Amino acid sequence: MNLLGLGWAMPYLPLWSGQVTRSLALVPAPIASPAPPPPAAVMPEALLPLPDLSMDRIILVHALEMVQAPEALLRECWRVLRDDGRLIVVVPNRLGAWSLFDHTPFGQGRPWSRGQLWRLLEGRLFRVAQMRPALFAPPLPWPWALTGAAIWEGMGRVALPRLSGVVMAEAVKDVLGAVPLGEGASRMVRMPPLHGVVKQL
């Protein structure tokens, strides 16, 4: 399959090693400072330089919380995903402690709650397959604070799942969401508008 990483997803791409034919890493221009390490390339925020239906999987890490138009970025993801494509999103949790501290990568940009992320994905023609919490270790600035991270994760998932550091979601491209809905459908297409982007599906 073809895999695309958006944002600072480069460290995660090797997780699919041996399963992909092609792996790409793109960083939207607003978050590309300092310049991303190779092999990542910088792209316009809401214009993926890829043909329609060209990707099987897209993973967004440090992307939705940093761009100015997350709706437009997701619209582009929908365009380049194949009809059976899947989107994996990792965002800082608005209710979690990690989003409150500037010394963490999750303390930058706009955090999202589970409900906000769910509505954003559904509104951009993605069907949420699953949503899970992660990162329960405290956001302390010392390396030794991460010792026992597995214990923190286990306890957090059971006791305080809504207070995780990040929210992870897997969504499926909703192909039928852009199809007219019956009689009078010329006025009832569910395709959401793009603001400031002229590229059409």
Side-chain angles (χ1 to χ4, degrees), residues 86-97:
R86 289 179 177 262
L87 182 74
I88 299 172
V89 181
V90 181
V91 295
N93 183 8
R94 180 177 292 278
L95 300 179

Side-chain angles (χ1 to χ4, degrees), residues 9-122:
M10 290 78 77
Y12 299 86
L13 298 183
L15 294 174
W16 285 268
S17 178
Q19 305 177 44
V20 298
T21 304
R22 180 180 302 165
S23 178
L24 304 173
L26 297 174
V27 181
I31 60 175
S33 179
V42 179
M43 54 163 275
E45 175 177 330
L47 194 62
L48 288 172
L50 297 169
D52 297 356
L53 308 174
S54 58
M55 291 288 125
D56 297 286
R57 299 288 185 274
I58 299 178
I59 176 170
L60 282 79
V61 181
H62 298 310
L64 285 187
E65 70 266 31
M66 301 300 293
V67 298
Q68 297 178 359
E71 297 88 354
L73 181 59
L74 286 177
R75 174 72 172 273
E76 279 290 276
C77 290
W78 193 95
R79 178 183 66 81
V80 303
L81 269 177
R82 291 177 176 155
D83 290 344
D84 59 347
R86 289 179 177 262
L87 182 74
I88 299 172
V89 181
V90 181
V91 295
N93 183 8
R94 180 177 292 278
L95 300 179
W98 283 79
S99 66
L100 302 178
F101 293 90
D102 291 340
H103 71 270
T104 78
F106 300 104
Q108 317 301 317
R110 172 189 176 183
W112 298 81
S113 69
R114 290 170 57 95
Q116 289 172 332
L117 181 59
W118 191 292
R119 290 189 294 272
L120 176 69
L121 292 170
E122 294 278 345

